[in-house]
Structure formats: structure tokens, C-alpha cells
Amino acid sequence: MKHVIKPFKTLAVSAMTLAGLASCEKEMPIKSNDAYFSTAEFKKNLKAALAGARGYQFAITQNGQVADTAEYGIATVGGAKSDLDMFINVASVTKTLTAATVVQYMLQKDVTIESKIGAWLPASWAVHDTIKKLSFKQLLTHTSGIRGSATEWSSLMTTAASPITAPQSYEYSNINFALFRAILPKLHDSAKFRQRELSLPAADFQLWMSQEYMRLVNLHVLSKAGIPARGCAPVTGKMSMMMTEGPYRLIGSDFGDWSNKCGGGGWVLTTMEMARVIVYLTHSDNILSPEERALMDNNRLGWVARFPVKGGLAYGHDGALYVNRNKEEGLNGGDVGSQTLIIKLPAKVELALGVNSVKDGWRDLYDIVAAAYNKSWVNN
């Protein structure tokens, strides 16, 4: 299947420029010694670095369109082939979706990234003063002092009621972004939010907030990238799995339903849909205005990585999920897992990647991509 992403029009070469070349037909062209980026080399380098995975799939885009793709190996223990259009839990790539949604409210209401979150949490929650005083920016940059990774509603409410005792310096926590499952619906329509909070039983109100959060991400991000409505639940019959890598016995695990714990992780997309998201965030004003894009990039809102590569800076977010199957602490050989990544690079290049297995530790996807990208510049 040929995949095309066209967020903007392609410029055509004017016929007038050709007329002036007639007198030069017999002259030898002058070759430039300048290096250019080769998507073919990038693909080759990535495939070499990902050797050993049970399966992977990636899409390389340049100038807003698909330049090359790769599908390798299997996506499930049943032997389903790795496929760009098979669904995967994108894990923490979710944070970029959440941030891109939040940013669109920062320049439309009397709210900035420095505003305090207290007024935007449910009034029915017990909220400690140290939580009320946190800024949107602190949540979006993991500098809140919040610790922990459990993102169910009970965990969010416990976090909100507890004092912050850890340093308010960078420390990655899924809870920071999962709190937007409660904050975004109130940002969108505070009157409707309050009406639901007063009229619904607690469990139903939590369900409504979850559904409203997913509706808003669809509205503000996915639909603007031409992606049908998605969510945080598995897509029956079309899901990849988390798997082991050799030499360990092939076993796998499903991702499960994240509908009531998403925000920091959990969105279910295809790798090609991840490619659409990063292309539209980068090359189009459909999702973000230039001002919103600058706000997101300059403050690293929803980008966990920003690092130098040839020609400029790369911005990305990766995701990683695993299930402990060998009963040893942490990720080890015999556990099952998967990794994802979206990243924008200089030379108007982007990458969306899904890896369907883990071995005895996480792949450093940023090092892999940086090395593959830097080696993909060739001379004419």
C-alpha cells in the first residue's frame, strides 16, 4: 500500500526558468560538493540498528510526505506480520498528543503555561496547597516534584491530596500528564464540567472526564491530522503485541484497556498514524499555529528529548511498555515489551517507529536515530 501525507501544496518549477537554460545545453553541469540527506541511507542504518527485534515498522517522511517505510518480522505471537497499519499502544508518545492539545488552550483563554492548576482540578477533590500552586509548565515538563507512575483515578486523587516533598526539578512521572485527564475537560468548558461534577455519581463523573479527555485530543490533534476517531482501548483483531526477543522463548502479552488511565500513556494508533501526527505538528498549521508550535518547542512541552544532530536540533518523544514475566525486578531477558518513537529532525525529516519486542533492556532509540541520521548525509 502506498501511503501519502500531504499537509501542504508542492511548489512547481516555473517553465520560465527552463527557457534560460537553452544556451547552456552543451556545457557540463557543475557538481556541488555539498552533502545531502539520503532517506535510503537512513532506512538502511535504522534497519541495521534494529536487527534482533521480533518485528518493527517505521515511516520516514521528508518535506511532509512519506519518503520510505519498513516493515519487518512479526507483530504477534500468532505470526501476524509487522504492519504500518496495525495498531499499537503508543505508550508515552501519548504525552505529545496531550501537550499539543493543552497548548491550544494556552493562547485562547486567560491561561498561560505559568498559570496555576488549582482552579482547573475538580472542586470535589481534596487538593493540597502544594498541588494547587503547581503551574501548567511544571506538569508539562516533569518539574512538579510529583513522583510515581500509576495513573488510575484513585492514584490521581491520592496525588492531588498529598503534599509535594520531593525537589521540584526534572523527574519523569506519568502522573504529571495523566492529571490533564481531569484538567482538559474543565479548560474546555468549565460550566459543563461543573454541571457534570454536581450531577453524576463519582464513578460516572470519572468516566465522563476520561471520555471527554479522549474527545478533546481527537478534536484538537488527531482529526486535524486526518486520523479517524481513536482512543485508549485495543482495536479488536488489529493489535500488535508486546513480545520477547531471542534467544528467549517467544511469548507475548496484550496491551489492555487504558481508557481510564490514559494521558501519560495509552493512546492506540498505527505507526502510520503516528507519522501523520508528527508531520502535521511540524509542517502544517492545521494542529498548531506558529505561535503554539514555538510555545511547545521552546519550552519542551511534550518533547522529552531535544538534542543536536547534523544541521540542527531534534525533538522527540519515545514510549516504552513492558510486562514482567520472569519475576525479576525491572526489565530483564524473558520479559515482554514494546517501544515507540516520534521525532522531528533537521532537513525536514521525521520518523515514526514501533518496535514489537524487548530483549534484556531498552533500546536507546534516541542514540539509534541520531547515529543513523548523522551517517545518512552523502556527497553528490
Side-chain angles (χ1 to χ4, degrees), residues 234-293:
V235 179
T236 304
K238 298 181 180 179
M239 289 296 298
S240 61
M241 298 177 72
M242 297 176 281
M243 296 182 289
T244 54
E245 289 183 20
Y248 302 99
R249 179 174 61 91
L250 174 60
I251 56 174
S253 178
D254 295 324
F255 290 102
D257 190 334
W258 283 58
S259 297
N260 273 313
K261 57 181 180 179
C262 57
W267 274 90
V268 174
L269 301 172
T270 71
T271 303
M272 186 53 66
E273 288 172 347
M274 285 197 289
R276 294 190 71 89
V277 168
I278 190 61
V279 164
Y280 274 79
L281 283 175
T282 305
H283 294 289
S284 169
D285 295 340
N286 282 24
I287 299 177
L288 300 178
S289 69
E291 295 80 10
E292 291 164 344
R293 187 179 301 109

Side-chain angles (χ1 to χ4, degrees), residues 2 17 65 69 75 79 95 104 108 112 115 120 128 159 163 176 185 197 208 215 223 227-228 240 282 284 300 361 368:
K2 183 177 181 181
T17 63
Q65 299 191 32
T69 63
K95 293 179 175 68
Q104 292 176 62
Q108 297 176 21
T112 72
S115 296
W120 301 101
H128 194 273
T159 297
N176 285 304
E197 188 172 16
W208 177 82
R215 185 185 75 83
S223 68
I227 298 171
S240 61
T282 305
S284 169
R300 285 182 60 182
I368 287 173

Side-chain angles (χ1 to χ4, degrees), residues 65-81:
Q65 299 191 32
V66 174
D68 215 334
T69 63
E71 298 166 315
Y72 169 80
I74 59 174
T76 70
V77 294
K81 292 182 178 180

Side-chain angles (χ1 to χ4, degrees), residues 59-365:
I60 302 167
T61 56
Q62 189 171 30
N63 297 315
Q65 299 191 32
V66 174
D68 215 334
T69 63
E71 298 166 315
Y72 169 80
I74 59 174
T76 70
V77 294
K81 292 182 178 180
S82 179
D83 191 326
L84 285 156
D85 294 317
M86 184 169 279
F87 289 92
I88 188 171
N89 185 321
V90 303
S92 287
V93 170
T94 293
K95 293 179 175 68
T96 304
L97 306 180
T98 301
T101 305
V102 174
V103 162
Q104 292 176 62
Y105 288 91
M106 296 294 97
L107 300 177
Q108 297 176 21
K109 296 179 177 285
D110 294 329
V111 180
T112 72
I113 59 171
E114 302 297 345
S115 296
K116 308 307 180 187
I117 69 169
W120 301 101
L121 290 168
S124 55
W125 286 13
V127 182
H128 194 273
D129 283 345
T130 56
I131 297 292
K132 290 180 181 178
K133 294 176 182 178
L134 293 176
S135 68
F136 282 85
K137 183 178 180 180
Q138 284 176 299
L139 291 186
L140 291 166
T141 57
H142 299 283
T143 55
S144 65
I146 290 173
R147 301 290 186 264
S149 59
T151 56
E152 296 83 356
W153 282 113
S154 58
S155 174
L156 298 189
M157 294 175 69
T158 298
T159 297
S162 304
I164 291 176
T165 58
Q168 290 183 304
S169 54
Y170 180 83
E171 185 72 27
Y172 194 91
S173 170
N174 289 326
I175 295 173
N176 285 304
F177 278 76
L179 282 168
F180 285 105
R181 205 165 70 244
I183 294 171
L184 264 171
K186 193 170 185 178
L187 270 178
H188 179 70
D189 189 334
S190 59
K192 183 177 181 179
F193 185 95
R194 186 58 179 157
Q195 186 274 327
R196 292 290 194 277
E197 188 172 16
L198 290 171
S199 63
L200 294 175
D204 291 341
F205 179 53
Q206 290 171 0
L207 177 61
W208 177 82
M209 286 191 288
S210 295
Q211 293 172 338
E212 188 70 356
Y213 158 78
M214 288 185 283
R215 185 185 75 83
L216 293 173
V217 174
N218 273 300
L219 175 68
H220 290 296
V221 179
L222 300 184
S223 68
K224 293 179 180 180
I227 298 171
R230 301 299 186 209
C232 300
V235 179
T236 304
K238 298 181 180 179
M239 289 296 298
S240 61
M241 298 177 72
M242 297 176 281
M243 296 182 289
T244 54
E245 289 183 20
Y248 302 99
R249 179 174 61 91
L250 174 60
I251 56 174
S253 178
D254 295 324
F255 290 102
D257 190 334
W258 283 58
S259 297
N260 273 313
K261 57 181 180 179
C262 57
W267 274 90
V268 174
L269 301 172
T270 71
T271 303
M272 186 53 66
E273 288 172 347
M274 285 197 289
R276 294 190 71 89
V277 168
I278 190 61
V279 164
Y280 274 79
L281 283 175
T282 305
H283 294 289
S284 169
D285 295 340
N286 282 24
I287 299 177
L288 300 178
S289 69
E291 295 80 10
E292 291 164 344
R293 187 179 301 109
L295 184 68
M296 187 169 170
D297 289 355
N298 293 342
N299 294 280
R300 285 182 60 182
L301 310 179
W303 302 121
V304 74
R306 182 174 63 188
F307 55 91
V309 291
K310 185 176 177 65
L313 291 174
Y315 292 81
H317 211 302
D318 64 317
L321 291 173
Y322 83 101
V323 175
N324 190 323
R325 296 294 293 271
N326 66 4
K327 309 305 181 184
E328 297 180 13
E329 184 177 354
L331 175 63
N332 300 281
D335 291 333
V336 299
S338 65
Q339 290 185 258
T340 53
L341 174 71
I342 58 172
I343 191 166
K344 57 180 181 177
L345 298 145
K348 298 182 179 180
V349 173
E350 299 81 39
L351 174 71
L353 167 67
V355 183
N356 307 325
S357 61
V358 291
K359 191 173 183 179
D360 49 8
W362 299 117
R363 286 177 170 84
D364 192 326
L365 295 183

